[in-house]
Amino acid sequence: MNKTADIVIIGGGVIGCSIAYNLAKKGAKNIILIERKYLTSGATGRCGAGVRMQFGTETNCLLAKKSIEMFEQLEEELGYDDSIEFKQGGYLLLAYTEKMVEQFHKNLGVQHKLGIPSRWVTPAEAKEIVPHLNTQGLLGATFCGKDGHCNPFKTTDAYVKAARRLGVEIMTYTEVTKLLAKDGKITGVETNKGVIESPVVVCCAGAYSRDLAATIGIELPLHPERHQILVTEPVEMIQEPMVMSFYHGLYCQQVPHGSFVMGIGDPNEPKEFNYNSSWQFLHEMAAKVTFLLPPLANLRVVRQWAGQYDMTPDRQQILGSVPGTEGFYLAAGFSGHGFMISPMTGKLMAEYILGEETSLPIDMFDFTRFARGQLFVEPSVV
Ligand SMILES: Cc1cc2nc3c(=O)[nH]c(=O)nc-3n(C[C@H](O)[C@H](O)[C@H](O)COP(=O)(O)OP(=O)(O)OC[C@H]3O[C@@H](n4cnc5c(N)ncnc54)[C@H](O)[C@@H]3O)c2cc1C
């Protein structure tokens, strides 16, 4: 099977699917999206799908704010006959140190300039928002009622169905084994089913992007980092917002059918692919979440699993072209917050690839920032 395409997209996660849809919506033709397993088999289908605009930099606040506006209309925009289950129950971000209090106040300043409806709340007010919250040691929190979470499978499905209707070809169970480039230009990809020639290749392969870029001698400063997560049995609704503590590295939400979904990060994870779940995670997760939200101690865990964050040195995504390899584009390195900005990322990348002016600047996320030493520092990430 040898083929030709105008644009090849590698990766059937939410980012690749959003980019494919946005390119096709703008009239690009002959697009092929390649996924080595099933759609959402990477980080997207393993994630918490939390969506928040409470960031500390203007750029990320805007990316997330615009994305939330798009999530609000996404079913209509994509003509989706199901629900992406976007629930705007808010995000409660907890502060346990004076440094965090100071940072959160700075973040609020940035957010308010952009019209984000977030606010400072005292421990007593936090308890009004989440009555079962243990406020021991809590100095305060910020809350934004427009934040929330989605169903990541249905969100991706909505993009895929819309992209297919616009003519995008989706090839699942097809692995890109090598990128192909000649004379400083990308020429296509080699897959386990044959070669696809294309003058444009967009790499959205999550942490695997590093290995793919290496096949044409590009060194991506990107590594996988395991993150574990679990789901409990469904119970009656008691918690509207996502509760998040950077101090404990923890997030916990109750999804629409009543299950709690929660995860914690481990700063000592090795920089390698690991899809195993551990009892240490279960133990630490249980200890931390039952301290913060004591009634959850009575819940039974149904399943735990692991996925990979695609981490960059500044924990921010790499978006745009790669100097020296014309036609090769990157949208990878989302470092644990790619789902929430997927609508806007798809739109911006489509504009960029088609040579249009982007609706928001993306140059601060370019690949060469690492070599220049101009890292993009976002203070509000787990
Ligand atoms: C436990 C966990 C919790 C998270 N929680 C949140 C959250 O609450 N909010 C949030 O915004 N983000 C969250 N994230 C991060 C989020 O999941 C990612 O940033 C986002 O899904 C990235 O999407 P993607 O399409 O770039 O990557 P992926 O979903 O990983 O997609 C990449 C795809 O490329 C495919 N691929 C790889 N190599 C090849 C190849 N050689 N050929 C063909 N296909 C290939 C993979 O199979 C994969 O399907 C979380 C992540 C994890 C792991």
Side-chain angles (χ1 to χ4, degrees):
M1 170 226 67
N2 284 2
K3 287 166 95 91
T4 57
D6 290 346
I7 302 176
V8 162
I9 297 170
I10 311 170
V14 70
I15 295 292
C17 296
S18 172
I19 294 174
Y21 163 74
N22 277 284
L23 281 167
K25 182 187 167 194
K26 287 185 161 294
K29 300 273 179 260
N30 203 8
I31 303 168
I32 302 181
L33 183 145
I34 307 175
E35 165 55 49
R36 66 179 191 150
K37 291 187 187 162
Y38 56 90
L39 300 168
T40 71
S41 58
T44 300
R46 298 160 189 273
C47 82
V51 170
R52 67 175 158 110
M53 39 187 158
Q54 294 185 75
F55 280 96
T57 56
E58 199 169 309
T59 305
N60 279 335
C61 285
L62 269 179
L63 262 176
K65 181 171 184 270
K66 298 271 178 213
S67 292
I68 285 186
E69 286 162 12
M70 291 162 89
F71 276 123
E72 286 170 343
Q73 312 290 332
L74 207 60
E75 289 139 4
E76 202 181 325
E77 154 90 18
L78 301 179
Y80 195 47
D81 56 7
D82 199 341
S83 165
I84 62 162
E85 295 171 13
F86 184 33
K87 177 181 152 193
Q88 287 174 287
Y91 251 67
L92 187 67
L93 298 184
L94 308 173
Y96 285 91
T97 63
E98 288 301 339
K99 201 169 162 217
M100 277 180 185
V101 172
E102 194 185 323
Q103 184 63 54
F104 280 18
H105 279 292
K106 274 193 205 153
N107 295 355
L108 286 173
V110 176
Q111 292 158 17
H112 291 167
K113 265 202 291 181
L114 303 170
I116 292 173
S118 49
R119 63 189 159 98
W120 177 255
V121 295
T122 63
E125 288 164 336
K127 207 165 168 60
E128 278 169 31
I129 297 168
V130 178
H132 54 286
L133 178 72
N134 172 13
T135 54
Q136 186 187 329
L138 184 68
L139 299 180
T142 60
F143 180 72
C144 175
K146 287 259 179 191
D147 294 343
H149 51 81
C150 296
N151 180 320
F153 301 100
K154 291 191 171 186
T155 306
T156 310
D157 185 47
Y159 274 119
V160 169
K161 287 191 169 137
R164 275 203 175 111
R165 276 198 303 276
L166 291 169
V168 174
E169 184 182 349
I170 313 264
M171 295 175 67
T172 51
Y173 296 99
T174 307
E175 179 163 9
V176 175
T177 45
K178 213 166 123 182
L179 302 176
L180 302 172
K182 202 174 166 201
D183 301 332
K185 289 183 182 168
I186 202 91
T187 56
V189 295
E190 180 191 276
T191 77
N192 58 349
K193 294 183 182 164
V195 166
I196 304 176
E197 287 176 22
S198 175
V200 174
V201 172
V202 191
C203 186
C204 316
Y208 298 92
S209 303
R210 177 191 59 181
D211 302 340
L212 283 169
T215 64
I216 49 169
I218 296 169
E219 207 179 312
L220 275 191
L222 198 156
H223 68 265
E225 184 180 280
R226 175 176 67 164
H227 277 251
Q228 300 191 63
I229 179 166
L230 66 77
V231 61
T232 72
E233 61 183 337
V235 289
E236 71 175 275
M237 289 305 292
I238 57 165
Q239 184 176 314
E240 278 293 311
M242 170 83 92
V243 173
M244 186 172 234
S245 165
F246 297 131
Y247 184 77
H248 299 94
L250 171 153
Y251 58 90
C252 174
Q253 62 184 308
Q254 190 173 19
V255 296
H257 73 278
S259 290
F260 279 84
V261 173
M262 60 188 82
I264 35 170
D266 176 354
N268 300 316
E269 272 297 331
K271 297 178 176 182
E272 59 195 38
F273 287 102
N274 183 354
Y275 286 95
N276 295 324
S277 299
S278 68
W279 64 263
Q280 288 94 336
F281 161 73
L282 193 59
H283 184 262
E284 193 186 342
M285 182 81 247
K288 284 184 172 169
V289 85
T290 56
F291 168 76
L292 279 179
L293 305 164
L296 271 56
N298 299 317
L299 287 179
R300 279 179 288 244
V301 173
V302 172
R303 196 163 69 87
Q304 68 179 95
W305 65 94
Q308 316 301 313
Y309 278 17
D310 46 345
M311 302 297 290
T312 66
D314 59 6
R315 309 183 76 190
Q316 297 299 316
Q317 55 277 13
I318 305 171
L319 301 179
S321 55
V322 179
T325 312
E326 199 183 316
F328 183 50
Y329 297 89
L330 291 164
F334 289 89
S335 307
H337 55 270
F339 180 83
M340 63 183 81
I341 55 169
S342 56
M344 201 54 195
T345 300
K347 182 175 154 78
L348 293 168
M349 283 299 294
E351 291 167 346
Y352 185 86
I353 292 164
L354 298 178
E356 298 172 6
E357 196 184 332
T358 53
S359 315
L360 290 177
I362 60 165
D363 48 310
M364 63 288 278
F365 296 124
D366 90 320
F367 169 62
T368 61
R369 73 182 187 272
F370 305 106
R372 292 196 316 269
Q374 281 182 333
L375 302 192
F376 183 94
V377 180
E378 165 57 61
S380 281
V381 280
V382 266

